[in-house]
Amino acid sequence: MVLFPCDSVSVAARNGDGLRDFMRYVSTYDSRDISLQEFYGWTTWKQYFTGEILWDELMLWLTDMTDSAALSLRIISFFIALVWGTYIFPKMSVFWALTFLLHPRAIEVVLSGISNGLAWSVVILVLIFRDILLERKKKYIGLPGFSDAVLFSTPFLHSSSAALLSFYFSSKLSNLKLLECIPRKVKLILLATFPGIAVGLALTIGNRFFLGELLGDRRTGNYISGSGSLKEMSFWLIVLLFQLSCSSHYIKKHLLCINIITWFVIMNFFIPWSYRIYGASIPILAYSIWDLSKAKRHIVLWVWLGYLTLHYLYWTGLIFSLA
């Protein structure tokens, strides 16, 4: 993925409009050697969060070590791809895993939306270690606290990780005794969708009216800027409906993924670049699809293959639009 010839394949890149975040990072960190914290004098957690201070410090450190922002970014891209592969290849067929990993939106995250990809990869890395411990049925004193600390650091790499954390920890409410009065399937469907809906509305409509001002976010007012592709959303809406029709066991196992898809569907009505939500979480979404019942999985995978083909035709400029 790191070596994917995006510049020659993507029509946007060929026209000089591709990998914009990558070029912006290179321009920024090749010309700046002082941290944002030092420059602005940040002293509060809110400022560290909205300024994504860990990402800034990491890039300054790597660029100082390598003397090249471009090389530093590619090192991080390699880490993202490594984490994704480590998660997905042991869980599903190599062929189908590659169809997900080589989706244009996933490649764009690895090669350009790198801070987003890094933060979410750290979350996936925690999931990998959790799965290993569950498989070996081992418990290590202090590990849950350490993994939670790692998770809570990710919003300082990319603020969108805060949404992932809300989904991750809300999934733990499935065993809450206060919710025992609600039928199990209904409770799980609510836990699998309501956090995603709430976060999506908060980051769009809520951001315009109160959230952006409350946080002092530099992106206030820029979130609602037109809808994304309805064709892109339609595939994930199909996946969402298939998932919600599954057993309670399946829904509980994939609460995080179902919330991510719900979040994307909501955000897509307001924000053109909402596709990064599924692009940055493609490994865990792919596994949630692979874990569907055999009949449902076959339907979704073949629809995915058609959708992937269509997207490549659009991405390479052979067809005009996916809107």
Side-chain angles (χ1 to χ4, degrees):
M1 295 179 74
V2 178
L3 300 177
F4 190 89
C6 190
D7 290 342
S8 58
V9 174
S10 166
V11 65
R14 294 199 303 270
N15 293 334
D17 195 33
L19 305 183
R20 282 178 291 179
D21 284 352
F22 175 82
M23 299 307 298
R24 177 171 58 83
Y25 290 141
V26 171
S27 175
T28 297
Y29 290 103
D30 271 344
S31 61
R32 175 165 62 84
D33 57 5
I34 184 173
S35 72
L36 292 176
Q37 188 275 330
E38 292 177 286
F39 184 81
Y40 290 110
W42 291 338
T43 57
T44 68
W45 288 105
K46 184 174 74 172
Q47 291 170 327
Y48 296 158
F49 168 70
T50 57
E52 296 167 350
I53 190 171
L54 283 184
W55 168 254
D56 186 60
E57 295 289 349
L58 175 64
M59 276 302 301
L60 286 172
W61 177 74
L62 278 176
T63 303
D64 182 59
M65 293 287 290
T66 63
D67 202 32
S68 168
L71 177 58
S72 301
L73 290 164
R74 287 296 166 252
I75 291 171
I76 298 173
S77 293
F78 176 78
F79 172 80
I80 296 169
L82 181 64
V83 171
W84 287 11
T86 302
Y87 180 86
I88 197 171
F89 285 124
K91 295 179 180 292
M92 59 188 293
S93 153
V94 171
F95 168 77
W96 286 109
L98 287 173
T99 67
F100 284 93
L101 294 181
L102 295 179
H103 188 281
R105 296 309 193 195
I107 291 170
E108 288 171 358
V109 168
V110 171
L111 297 182
S112 187
I114 301 171
S115 62
N116 188 178
L118 174 63
W120 290 30
S121 291
V122 173
V123 175
I124 294 172
L125 193 60
V126 171
L127 297 179
I128 291 171
F129 282 110
R130 184 201 64 182
D131 289 347
I132 291 173
L133 294 182
L134 288 174
E135 183 181 336
R136 297 179 180 179
K137 298 180 179 179
K138 290 185 177 181
K139 293 183 179 180
Y140 294 94
I141 296 175
L143 189 60
F146 175 75
S147 64
D148 288 351
V150 172
L151 288 173
F152 279 114
S153 72
T154 57
F156 300 100
L157 287 168
H158 195 272
S159 55
S160 66
S161 300
L164 284 192
L165 298 193
S166 71
F167 304 153
Y168 178 81
F169 288 106
S170 67
S171 68
K172 298 182 181 296
L173 298 176
S174 59
N175 296 321
L176 194 66
K177 290 185 178 181
L178 291 175
L179 300 178
E180 287 181 351
C181 59
I182 304 174
R184 179 173 171 79
K185 183 70 175 281
V186 174
K187 174 178 66 176
L188 289 171
I189 289 176
L190 288 174
L191 288 174
T193 57
F194 181 75
I197 294 170
V199 169
L201 293 177
L203 291 177
T204 51
I205 297 173
N207 185 76
R208 170 165 288 185
F209 291 107
F210 66 89
L211 187 61
E213 184 177 349
L214 177 67
L215 292 175
D217 197 323
R218 66 190 186 280
R219 292 155 293 197
T220 300
N222 295 329
Y223 261 67
I224 301 179
S225 54
S227 64
S229 166
L230 294 179
K231 290 187 178 71
E232 279 195 84
M233 185 190 73
S234 62
F235 170 78
W236 293 106
L237 188 57
I238 291 170
V239 173
L240 179 63
L241 294 175
F242 270 66
Q243 289 178 326
L244 293 177
S245 69
C246 289
S247 66
S248 296
H249 173 76
Y250 175 91
I251 295 175
K252 182 178 180 181
K253 182 178 180 181
H254 296 288
L255 283 170
L256 174 62
C257 292
I258 300 173
N259 266 306
I260 289 173
I261 296 173
T262 303
W263 179 30
F264 164 67
V265 169
I266 297 297
M267 295 278 279
N268 192 71
F269 286 110
F270 301 96
I271 300 174
W273 48 259
S274 57
Y275 56 79
R276 283 193 176 178
I277 292 172
Y278 77 81
S281 54
I282 202 72
I284 57 176
L285 297 184
Y287 174 59
S288 74
I289 291 172
W290 188 257
D291 204 33
L292 289 166
S293 65
K294 188 174 181 180
K296 291 178 180 177
R297 179 171 72 231
H298 284 173
I299 294 172
V300 172
L301 287 177
W302 287 109
V303 173
W304 168 260
L305 202 58
Y307 163 65
L308 177 67
T309 303
L310 183 65
H311 205 118
Y312 261 98
L313 291 173
Y314 160 70
W315 200 47
T316 55
L318 295 178
I319 62 175
F320 183 70
S321 175
L322 271 181

